[in-house]
Amino acid sequence: HLARCSDPDTSKAAAASLDPTKLESEVLDVIKSFGDAGCISDQVEAKLSHIKCSSLTPRYAGLVKKGLIQDSGQRRIARSKRQQIVWVATW
């Protein structure tokens, strides 16, 4: 379910090799490490620089759905000069 039917075989193979549970756990651990101050995606990506951001960003939706993180309502300026959500762990 991590790849679309229309995706090329290489994308399907890459999706099959991912462990979203492990990635979610890693993202959650990073977000928790920032405590009540929370963090933006850029900060998660910096701490998990060995993982492509395209593998990290989809994990936020799953963590929100599971009630493990939430949008703090705050925004911070990212490297791109755009606003990013400040994520906080719900503990």
Side-chain angles (χ1 to χ4, degrees), residues 10-66:
T10 53
S11 294
K12 291 175 185 173
S17 72
L18 284 177
D19 181 355
T21 306
K22 181 176 185 278
L23 290 175
E24 281 183 2
S25 178
E26 289 185 61
V27 170
L28 178 60
D29 287 345
V30 170
I31 294 171
K32 281 182 175 181
S33 76
F34 283 87
D36 293 336
C39 63
I40 60 174
S41 293
D42 280 1
Q43 293 170 298
V44 174
E45 291 170 21
K47 287 206 173 202
L48 297 175
S49 60
H50 61 286
I51 302 171
K52 293 178 76 172
C53 74
S54 61
S55 293
L56 295 175
T57 54
R59 303 307 134 223
Y60 299 113
L63 291 168
V64 168
K65 190 180 248 185
K66 292 176 182 176

Side-chain angles (χ1 to χ4, degrees), residues 61-73:
L63 291 168
V64 168
K65 190 180 248 185
K66 292 176 182 176
L68 299 172
I69 66 170
Q70 66 185 19
D71 179 340
S72 69

